[in-house]
Amino acid sequence: MRRITRIATVGVASAALALTATACGNTSSSDAASDSKEKSVAIAYDIGGRGDQSFNDAAYAGLAKAEKDLKVKGNDAEPSDGESDADKVQRLTELARAGNNPVIGVGFAYAPAIKKVAPKFPKTTFGIIDDSSVTGKNIANMVFNEEQGSYLAGVAAAKATKSKTVGFIGGVETPLIKKFEAGYAQGVKDTDPSVKVLSQYLTQPPNFDGFSKPDLGKAAAQGQLDKKADVIYAAAGLAGSGSIEAVSAAGKWNIGVDSDQYMQAGLAQYKDSILTSVTKDIADAVFNLIKSVEDGKPQNGEIRYGLDKDGVGLTDSNPAYVKLTEVTAAVDKAKQEIVDGKITVKTAP
């Protein structure tokens, strides 16, 4: 796996890609042209980068699977703090110019960059996760029904709470994260109207620190714990790890997001507090796009993952969750009713 750190200045970026032999991010430069004949694919991470134990790591899992199963070379590029759309344009341009196909932007923030770059490389497939606003013949939009998985989390929270108060922490107040809040709150209220839902966002656009700074998540969770919340669901990327830490220290329940956070090595010391996680099958979405390109039939247009295809869901990795049979029965019932169309989940609070 080759890791590309910050894109260099325009004059030298096309000549160098940063490499690493380990997951810790140490880098050295290498001439991309030397590997031009080898099939390669690339993902460009969202805020927080690889190691967030959540959104970006789920995308990385799909890339790693493609390397193993499809025998392609994987490149992954890190964002820089406070970067602009122009920085993203440069990053995607260099990844495409280096011969990577597909090139995948992890997160809706890549939409403006893909809109500019994709037309310049018509033979390269560009994927974008969590956005369907930018379209093109060589663009694949991998989107998810986050509100459906979050509804199930709300059902679980309403059944598991003893204090009748639960919390939601959103990283940045964007339409995407509001889908998580909407589904969660609806799931709670449909299950037990007497349960109070505390909601808080860490930052407002254009400040996206709410996806990258664990101390913000920790402080927000502590505030909700002080208000008697005993189940907290954080949809905040890397910042969510701070929430998980605080909730674990208080002996209350966390609900993870995007990845199965109970299984994340970086969160192992807190795993017993992670009751369940709302997952998005980002790994399979990334793998499927790469495979479609390798098969000569590249995906394009909107590719939606919902409960009906297990594209979103709720995990049962924690044995403590499985033992709560009243909780699991309620979640299973709600899932079937959503799939059957008996429950329509809101996408905005």
Side-chain angles (χ1 to χ4, degrees):
M1 181 72 65
R2 305 171 95 205
R3 298 194 76 185
I4 304 163
T5 55
R6 299 176 185 228
I7 296 297
T9 59
V10 175
V12 299
S14 62
L17 295 177
L19 308 185
T20 186
T22 68
C24 64
N26 295 326
T27 62
S28 61
S29 63
S30 175
D31 188 348
S34 64
D35 296 317
S36 61
K37 293 182 180 180
E38 187 174 359
K39 288 185 178 180
S40 61
V41 302
I43 59 176
Y45 293 120
D46 200 4
I47 297 165
R50 192 166 123 200
D52 66 352
Q53 314 297 324
S54 184
F55 182 62
N56 289 295
D57 280 1
Y60 168 73
L63 181 64
K65 185 175 188 289
E67 281 198 303
K68 180 181 178 182
D69 294 358
L70 305 178
K71 309 304 180 186
V72 297
K73 178 190 292 183
N75 295 314
D76 55 346
E78 292 284 353
S80 56
D81 293 338
E83 68 181 21
S84 65
D85 285 342
D87 295 318
K88 291 182 174 65
V89 166
Q90 189 174 341
R91 179 177 301 117
L92 297 182
T93 298
E94 295 306 324
L95 291 174
R97 188 175 292 159
N100 295 291
N101 189 20
V103 173
I104 302 171
V106 183
F108 62 82
Y110 278 96
I114 285 180
K115 184 177 182 179
K116 289 185 178 180
V117 178
K120 298 177 182 179
F121 297 89
K123 294 183 180 180
T124 299
T125 293
F126 289 83
I128 183 166
I129 298 171
D130 286 346
D131 179 86
S132 59
S133 68
V134 55
T135 59
K137 292 182 179 180
N138 61 331
I139 298 174
N141 309 88
M142 296 169 279
V143 293
F144 300 82
N145 291 118
E146 295 91 355
E147 72 282 359
Q148 294 179 347
S150 296
Y151 184 98
L152 301 185
V155 173
K159 286 290 186 180
T161 182
K162 295 179 180 179
S163 67
K164 295 291 184 176
T165 302
V166 302
F168 171 81
I169 297 172
V172 182
E173 192 168 1
T174 64
L176 174 67
I177 304 303
K178 284 186 173 182
K179 289 173 67 180
F180 288 86
E181 179 192 3
Y184 181 66
Q186 183 182 346
V188 171
K189 293 300 182 180
D190 284 358
T191 304
D192 187 345
S194 70
V195 175
K196 184 178 182 179
V197 182
L198 305 174
S199 294
Q200 181 177 347
Y201 286 89
L202 302 180
T203 61
Q204 301 288 325
N207 181 357
F208 284 83
D209 286 351
F211 288 139
S212 63
K213 295 190 174 182
D215 60 315
L216 296 179
K218 186 175 182 179
Q222 190 58 59
Q224 293 188 345
L225 290 165
D226 291 343
K227 294 177 182 178
K228 308 302 181 184
D230 60 355
V231 184
I232 295 179
Y233 173 37
L238 182 60
S241 64
S243 173
I244 288 173
E245 179 184 353
V247 173
S248 176
K252 306 303 181 182
W253 286 124
N254 281 291
I255 294 179
V257 73
D258 289 338
S259 298
D260 184 351
Q261 295 195 300
Y262 179 84
M263 301 298 292
Q264 289 289 329
L267 299 173
Q269 62 183 312
Y270 312 122
K271 65 186 297 183
D272 290 343
S273 74
I274 302 174
L275 179 64
T276 182
S277 296
V278 176
T279 56
K280 294 165 60 173
D281 202 356
I282 297 168
D284 268 3
V286 168
F287 176 84
N288 291 342
L289 179 58
I290 294 171
K291 188 175 187 302
S292 75
V293 174
E294 289 299 298
D295 290 344
K297 299 178 180 179
Q299 293 177 331
N300 72 315
E302 183 177 293
I303 307 156
R304 181 165 292 278
Y305 294 85
L307 271 182
D308 57 339
K309 298 178 181 177
D310 292 323
V312 296
L314 208 63
T315 62
D316 59 2
S317 302
N318 190 337
Y321 172 77
V322 177
K323 291 178 182 179
L324 298 175
T325 54
E326 185 179 348
V327 175
T328 59
V331 167
D332 289 345
K333 180 174 182 290
K335 177 181 177 180
Q336 192 59 52
E337 290 181 342
I338 292 172
V339 172
D340 290 345
K342 295 178 180 178
I343 295 175
T344 299
V345 185
K346 298 176 183 178
T347 57

